[in-house]
Amino acid sequence: MREPADLVVRSRRAVTPEGERALAVAVRGGAIAALRPYDDPPPARETADLGDIALLPGLVDTHVHVNEPGRTHWEGFDSATRAAAAGGVTTIVDMPLNSLPPTVNVAALEIKRKAARGRVHVDTGFWGGAIPGNVADLRPLHEAGVFGVKCFLSPSGVDEFPALDRAGLREALTELASFGGLLIVHAEDPDSLTDPTGPTYQEFLGSRTQDAERRAVEQVIELAAGTGARAHIVHVSAAACIEPLRQAQRDGVRISAETCPHYLTLAAEEVTGPAYKCCPPVREAPNRDALWQALADGVLMGIVSDHSPSTPDLKVPDFAAAWGGISSLQLGLPVVWTAALARGYGLSDVVRWMAQGPAALAGLPYKGGLRVGADADLVAFDPAAEFTVDVASLHHRNPVSPYDGKTLTGAVRTTWLRGVPVDYVTPNGRFLTPKPAGE
């Protein structure tokens, strides 16, 4: 390097796409300029030597409900992106609901961007929404820079974001196929869902069966194959979905799927209160084991938070009435690492699932990896540190989480966004749009 780097971060455990290496990562102009041996760092204006603390690429979370504008008292861009940075997440993509208005046309997208401008502490992109009657808005949303559009096949929980029926799903996929767009799908079959017969968790779990997920996933597979569109299943909770997805991927259907920390680390047998409620639900321990295997096999491409917060008054009094959503944006990395470590997985696996996979889904080749030319989004992560979750101390706006009081392994020490440490005061995040193919 001809001139001193802006920053060099050294670690004996730098997690690259090729595995853990002892490296000196040089940063210039917000990007990774060079990867050098740990003992041979280039000159730099600033240096940080992490020693045995791991250096990870910033995580990419493509499933975050920020809820601003309209329900900012549930979260908001300032608190959500501070929580993301504190959890080692340097890129989020915001869901089109539960904000008001939902992001189902370009005008609503601009309202959301205006609400977020100057308030994001990490880089931020946006999904659009596909609802009945807005198929003509899908191409304009794509052209305006959303990463794809989301639909529900069952009630979303908010009246302003209704579900698509089979005809609407086919229409949306056909339209998206015409310009190479992506449809992300909340896949539960409405005809297979029932109202809980009582207030307990087992009654709630029985109302949203694995078959409800599987049938919806099979419908998406069928219509994606028929239209040639690209589709993605969000928050897979049911092991029953794995084989249909595996076979579809083998058959060349353009379909992928994700899961979430809560489905990998919580179990129905240990649920204690409505803070655990989400849709689809947390299922039994053997089901959890199958999801881990599907990640290892590559059927599930990654782990994202589905951060879906609400105010405490909406998480009571019981499982029939409470809001269905889990708040976990700041905790996803230590939650997953704690469980991954116990199962014999390494930091490279966690980075593949929480950084590389989501970056690939969204088409962000400059995010999610320690490689020359990528954005210098870096995370100093102590993989041996233990802490007990105090939900009141998190950056999340509302202190509600099923992880409260749990002891976790792994702590984020510093997060750099494009080579600059996040200070949780100055919002230096940028808006992101998809990178065109070939660039």
Side-chain angles (χ1 to χ4, degrees):
M1 300 178 67
R2 294 183 300 274
E3 298 179 3
D6 300 327
L7 170 71
V8 168
V9 182
R10 303 167 68 207
S11 170
R12 295 187 182 91
R13 298 189 65 182
V15 182
T16 75
E18 294 76 35
E20 290 189 29
R21 299 165 58 191
L23 287 178
V25 178
V27 176
R28 179 182 285 118
I32 297 175
L35 301 177
R36 295 275 291 271
Y38 176 85
D39 292 325
D40 185 25
R45 296 181 179 90
E46 294 185 36
T47 62
D49 189 349
L50 305 182
D52 291 327
I53 291 177
L55 180 64
L56 314 183
L59 305 186
V60 178
D61 192 338
T62 53
H63 197 144
V64 179
H65 293 269
V66 175
N67 304 330
E68 185 176 6
R71 293 187 174 98
T72 310
H73 56 297
W74 291 15
E75 190 61 272
F77 284 102
D78 177 64
S79 58
T81 56
R82 282 189 284 108
V89 177
T90 53
T91 300
I92 67 166
V93 186
D94 170 61
M95 284 290 165
L97 72 163
N98 301 304
S99 55
L100 293 169
T103 315
V104 294
N105 53 48
V106 173
L109 174 63
E110 290 309 314
I111 290 171
K112 180 166 282 192
R113 283 176 169 157
K114 182 178 180 180
R117 191 164 289 116
R119 298 179 62 79
V120 292
H121 297 263
V122 300
D123 287 354
T124 301
F126 303 93
W127 297 108
I131 63 172
N134 86 323
V135 69
D137 292 297
L138 302 186
R139 184 185 290 266
L141 279 166
H142 175 79
E143 292 172 348
V146 301
F147 283 85
V149 293
K150 181 182 186 178
C151 74
F152 279 71
L153 302 186
S154 57
S156 70
V158 291
D159 293 341
E160 66 274 6
F161 203 96
L164 296 180
D165 60 15
R166 182 181 177 88
L169 177 62
R170 183 192 300 275
E171 186 179 26
L173 285 166
T174 300
E175 175 67 6
L176 291 164
S178 72
F179 56 82
L182 169 65
L183 183 69
I184 64 173
V185 184
H186 179 123
E188 290 182 286
D189 173 33
D191 295 332
S192 301
L193 301 179
T194 60
D195 292 329
T197 57
T200 72
Y201 189 72
Q202 285 304 314
E203 289 163 318
F204 169 68
L205 184 61
S207 74
R208 307 185 87 101
T209 65
Q210 292 211 29
D211 281 347
E213 264 190 270
R214 177 185 54 79
R215 290 172 182 170
V217 166
E218 289 174 341
Q219 181 178 126
V220 176
I221 289 170
E222 176 190 350
L223 295 179
T227 60
R230 182 178 168 220
H232 176 79
I233 307 298
V234 298
H235 52 46
V236 171
S237 81
C241 299
I242 294 168
E243 285 310 312
L245 286 164
R246 189 192 311 272
Q247 189 58 53
Q249 291 164 0
R250 287 173 176 168
D251 292 342
V253 181
R254 301 175 67 199
I255 191 159
S256 56
E258 69 192 34
T259 192
C260 304
H262 37 283
Y263 301 128
L264 295 166
T265 64
L266 305 177
E269 296 89 338
E270 65 186 34
V271 167
T272 59
Y276 287 76
K277 181 180 177 180
C278 56
C279 300
V282 170
R283 304 190 187 278
E284 298 83 357
N287 180 88
R288 177 177 62 188
D289 296 339
L291 296 179
W292 279 101
Q293 188 60 53
L295 276 169
D297 293 344
V299 178
L300 301 177
M301 46 62 66
I303 305 169
V304 292
S305 69
D306 189 12
H307 179 68
S308 186
S310 69
T311 52
D313 61 294
L314 296 180
K315 296 296 282 187
V316 294
D318 56 41
F319 288 100
W323 172 260
I326 286 181
S327 181
S328 64
L329 183 54
Q330 186 169 336
L331 297 172
L333 176 56
V335 164
V336 170
W337 173 238
T338 301
L341 185 63
R343 291 172 178 267
Y345 295 108
L347 286 174
S348 292
D349 298 307
V350 172
V351 166
R352 183 170 72 254
W353 297 326
M354 301 188 78
Q356 296 169 11
L361 170 72
L364 292 168
Y366 51 93
K367 296 290 189 183
L370 298 184
R371 56 183 176 273
V372 173
D375 283 358
D377 300 341
L378 311 172
V379 177
F381 181 68
D382 186 342
E386 289 191 348
F387 70 100
T388 300
V389 176
D390 174 8
V391 71
S393 71
L394 302 177
H395 289 278
H396 301 163
R397 183 177 295 274
N398 289 291
V400 181
S401 172
Y403 302 109
D404 191 30
K406 295 186 183 297
T407 298
L408 302 177
T409 301
V412 172
R413 299 305 189 196
T414 305
T415 299
W416 292 265
L417 180 67
R418 285 174 274 103
V420 177
V422 176
D423 65 6
Y424 306 97
V425 176
T426 309
N428 288 322
R430 297 176 180 173
F431 291 164
L432 302 177
T433 56
K435 191 176 182 70
E439 287 193 11

